[in-house]
Amino acid sequence: MSPASSHALKHPPVTAPSEPAGAPSDFPELGVAIDRARRRGRGAQSNASGRYEAEARVAFDDGWQSLDELPPFKTTVAIDTSRKVITRNDSPDIGFDRSINPYRGCEHGCVYCFARPTHAYLGLSPGLDFESKLFAKPDAPLLLEKELAAPGYEPRMIAIGTNTDPYQPIERERKIMRGILEVLERTSHPVGIVTKSALVLRDIDILQRMAKRNLAKVAISVTSLDPKLARTMEPRASTPPKRLEALKQLSEAGIPTTVMVAPVIPALNDSEIERILDAAAHAGVKEAAYVLLRLPLEVRDLFREWLMANYPDRYRHVFTLIRDMRGGRDYDAKWGERMKGTGPMAWTIGRRFEIACDRLGLNKRRSKLTTDHFARPKRNGDQLSLF
């Protein structure tokens, strides 16, 4: 950005007020809002500097219309040169201890994405940078095979798509996810996939073969059946009908499928819980889950900006309900509560979900993957067996 259109600050811009406000004018000037034409097709409204940066760049109009000369945000892809591809975790409230993310950043642009703050570790903004400055891991299949070949490796289900979507648009050309699946099929290693893209159907051949041996399952997130709301929240993700069709085709292929009603946002999409579950059940889905909206770190302010820009009449009500479910705060990261929340409203959402699942026959049985077939790949230099 040219000196005529920006100046440096010693500290990042001030955040939005802690109390829900009633009008856009109640926000302090963030100085990072991006013109609509430049961010067309994106989810975030702004591009504030990452929290680890010593200085922040703030655009301002100096009277020479220099802001009008700035180009639209275009997707760029850099190479991630990580030496390992399996990420470990010991969180007690999630059902896996290892995962793979073929990409960093996600072009789907979901404004509520809890992975956005990870871009700050790269010196980039969790805002528009997260959905336009992407990082791909082309060596992921080779790295995975190497890690699976390690003598001390003990197989357990690998989750893919828990942070950024493995089937985001750039996967169509990069095919990193397909390469990962080929390694997992070759080694008979179980995998659980979470996505909101119909592109998963491209790999239905591999997934079907793995599912026959209890090695694969797929969860697809359906946030809303309202096309306008879905496009506003998730501008570059597959449309709701395409996601439901993907669930149908996966189910018909014998692949265990789960519909994720996630995230549930009070006063915005919570009224659709029963309709989403009903549509998924008619598509052949047998399992379902939900997650309450999470607003960690920078996600809170990005969601505030988005809500004020698109649904200003609901802003106060939405945040009042969020705080009712988060112990009076915008977010509570406590294990065991961060996914479901607490309080009467959270309880009501949970009971509605359970009643709808019972009515539709969902979650009667849970698919369980096996590690019994795992075949450790040979490492370079390993001597072949004579028998």
Side-chain angles (χ1 to χ4, degrees):
M1 191 175 295
S2 67
S5 61
S6 71
H7 64 279
L9 301 179
K10 289 299 183 184
H11 300 285
V14 64
T15 56
S18 59
E19 290 300 320
S25 60
D26 291 326
F27 280 88
E29 179 55 49
L30 295 179
V32 291
I34 303 299
D35 181 77
R36 182 181 295 273
R38 290 192 63 213
R39 55 176 171 79
R40 183 177 180 181
R42 305 292 180 178
Q45 311 292 305
S46 62
N47 206 37
S49 301
R51 62 187 180 279
Y52 298 114
E53 303 309 296
E55 296 181 342
R57 295 284 172 178
V58 181
F60 71 98
D61 187 357
D62 56 7
W64 293 98
Q65 287 78 49
S66 53
L67 292 180
D68 297 339
E69 301 171 2
L70 296 175
F73 278 78
K74 293 185 178 181
T75 300
T76 62
V77 184
I79 301 302
D80 185 312
T81 57
S82 300
R83 296 183 179 181
K84 290 188 176 183
V85 72
I86 299 178
T87 301
R88 307 280 179 155
N89 80 84
D90 57 1
S91 301
D93 58 352
I94 55 178
F96 58 89
D97 68 351
R98 64 201 68 183
S99 59
I100 294 175
N101 292 291
Y103 303 98
R104 301 182 75 166
C106 185
E107 197 176 6
H108 281 161
C110 306
V111 69
Y112 54 75
C113 181
F114 62 83
R116 284 182 176 272
T118 61
H119 244 45
Y121 300 135
L122 307 175
L124 298 172
S125 172
L128 289 164
D129 281 349
F130 176 79
E131 49 194 285
S132 61
K133 297 184 185 299
L134 311 180
F135 295 81
K137 302 177 182 178
D139 293 335
L142 292 175
L143 293 172
L144 173 60
E145 191 157 15
K146 180 179 178 181
E147 291 182 55
L148 297 184
Y153 180 81
E154 293 294 333
R156 290 188 65 181
M157 185 195 76
I158 289 178
I160 306 181
T162 57
N163 198 44
T164 57
D165 202 310
Y167 287 106
Q168 58 180 288
I170 59 172
E171 166 63 18
R172 194 175 300 277
E173 290 75 34
R174 303 270 168 168
K175 299 182 180 179
I176 299 174
M177 180 59 181
R178 185 168 180 88
I180 290 173
L181 287 179
E182 289 171 347
V183 172
L184 294 175
E185 181 185 22
R186 189 160 60 246
T187 59
S188 300
H189 194 294
V191 61
I193 300 170
V194 180
T195 183
K196 57 182 60 176
S197 174
L199 182 58
V200 66
L201 292 176
R202 181 200 63 189
D203 297 333
I204 197 169
D205 55 332
I206 297 177
L207 294 170
Q208 185 177 36
R209 291 194 298 267
M210 294 184 71
K212 287 180 179 179
R213 306 174 68 201
N214 291 328
L215 292 172
K217 59 182 180 180
V218 177
I220 294 182
S221 171
V222 181
T223 314
S224 173
L225 298 180
D226 180 344
K228 182 179 179 181
L229 176 59
R231 180 61 67 212
T232 306
M233 282 198 299
E234 309 159 336
R236 301 199 179 192
S238 295
T239 63
K242 284 190 174 295
R243 296 185 218 182
L244 291 172
E245 177 61 25
L247 285 169
K248 182 175 184 292
Q249 291 191 36
L250 290 167
S251 298
E252 290 176 347
I255 301 164
T257 55
T258 298
V259 61
M260 295 287 297
V261 186
V264 175
I265 306 174
L268 199 62
N269 73 340
D270 64 304
S271 63
E272 298 189 67
I273 292 174
E274 290 83 359
R275 284 188 292 149
I276 292 172
L277 292 175
D278 186 69
H282 279 82
V285 171
K286 301 300 182 184
E287 298 180 36
Y290 80 96
V291 178
L292 196 64
L293 175 69
R294 297 169 59 188
L295 298 175
L297 302 170
E298 292 94 343
V299 181
R300 182 197 68 168
D301 293 331
L302 290 167
F303 181 73
R304 284 177 183 273
E305 294 171 0
W306 177 88
L307 196 57
M308 287 303 299
N310 294 283
Y311 299 95
D313 56 321
R314 305 190 197 186
Y315 175 74
R316 183 184 295 277
H317 188 40
V318 169
F319 266 91
T320 296
L321 293 175
I322 287 174
R323 291 186 168 189
D324 286 347
M325 296 187 289
R326 296 297 187 187
R329 291 175 285 180
D330 293 333
Y331 182 57
D332 184 358
K334 188 183 301 179
W335 281 329
E337 297 180 4
R338 57 180 180 162
M339 305 294 187
K340 307 296 184 185
T342 58
M345 183 65 179
W347 183 88
T348 300
I349 288 174
R351 299 298 77 73
R352 286 174 52 201
F353 178 85
E354 290 177 354
I355 291 171
C357 286
D358 287 343
R359 175 175 58 83
L360 296 167
L362 299 175
N363 294 335
K364 296 300 183 181
R365 294 181 61 185
R366 294 283 188 179
S367 57
K368 189 174 181 181
L369 304 184
T370 182
T371 59
D372 293 345
H373 308 303
F374 178 63
R376 195 182 312 278
K378 296 292 183 181
R379 295 185 299 170
N380 289 335
D382 280 357
Q383 185 174 355
L384 296 178
S385 173
L386 295 177
F387 305 98

